[in-house]
């Protein structure tokens, strides 16, 4: 199955969030073609969750998994570490008090 470029996926994800009135921002612009994507969900209460896309070896499907959660500063430190390993990494920050990120919707894995 052909894969979408990172830039195309990010643009589509941001459009879906806008349709639901969920604010989101590109915090770090990675490689347009093959960059990996991290999604940070900030619930605006000092807490955050960081998601990364993973490949499930059992099912062969992609899914979003939690990389870090807790105090927003600690989650930001995780993002900084990840970016030090991978400068082509995209980081999207979603801000939603209700904790909506839409990553569990069809077509976003």
């Amino acid at each position: 199955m052909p894969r979408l470029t990172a830039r195309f996926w990010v643009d589509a994800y941001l459009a879906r969030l806008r349709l639901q009135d969920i604010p989101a921002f590109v915090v770090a612009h990675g490689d347009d073609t093959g960059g990996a994507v991290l999604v940070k969900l900030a619930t605006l209460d000092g807490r955050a969750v960081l998601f990364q896309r993973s490949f499930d070896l059992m099912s062969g499907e992609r899914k979003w998994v939690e990389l870090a959660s807790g105090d927003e500063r600690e989650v930001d430190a995780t993002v900084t570490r990840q970016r030090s390993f991978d400068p082509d990494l995209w980081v999207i920050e979603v801000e939603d008090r209700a904790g909506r990120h839409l990553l569990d919707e069809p077509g976003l894995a």
Side-chain angles (χ1 to χ4, degrees), residues 30-73:
D31 181 72
D32 282 345
T33 305
V37 179
L38 295 180
V39 176
K40 175 187 161 190
L41 169 63
T43 51
L44 306 174
D45 60 357
R47 316 260 319 143
V49 181
L50 184 64
F51 297 95
Q52 73 175 3
R53 194 165 27 185
S54 179
F55 187 74
D56 185 344
L57 294 175
M58 297 301 285
S59 69
E61 295 187 13
R62 292 179 173 272
K63 63 181 183 175
W64 288 94
V65 296
E66 188 177 299
L67 181 61
S69 67
D71 182 77
E72 189 169 4
R73 288 173 293 189

Side-chain angles (χ1 to χ4, degrees), residues 1-48:
M1 173 185 276
R3 289 186 41 198
L4 300 175
T5 65
R7 177 62 184 256
F8 187 88
W9 186 91
V10 167
D11 288 344
Y13 180 54
L14 293 174
R16 273 187 147 170
L17 291 166
R18 269 192 308 276
L19 288 172
Q20 297 294 321
D21 293 323
I22 302 171
F25 312 91
V26 175
V27 176
H29 186 290
D31 181 72
D32 282 345
T33 305
V37 179
L38 295 180
V39 176
K40 175 187 161 190
L41 169 63
T43 51
L44 306 174
D45 60 357
R47 316 260 319 143

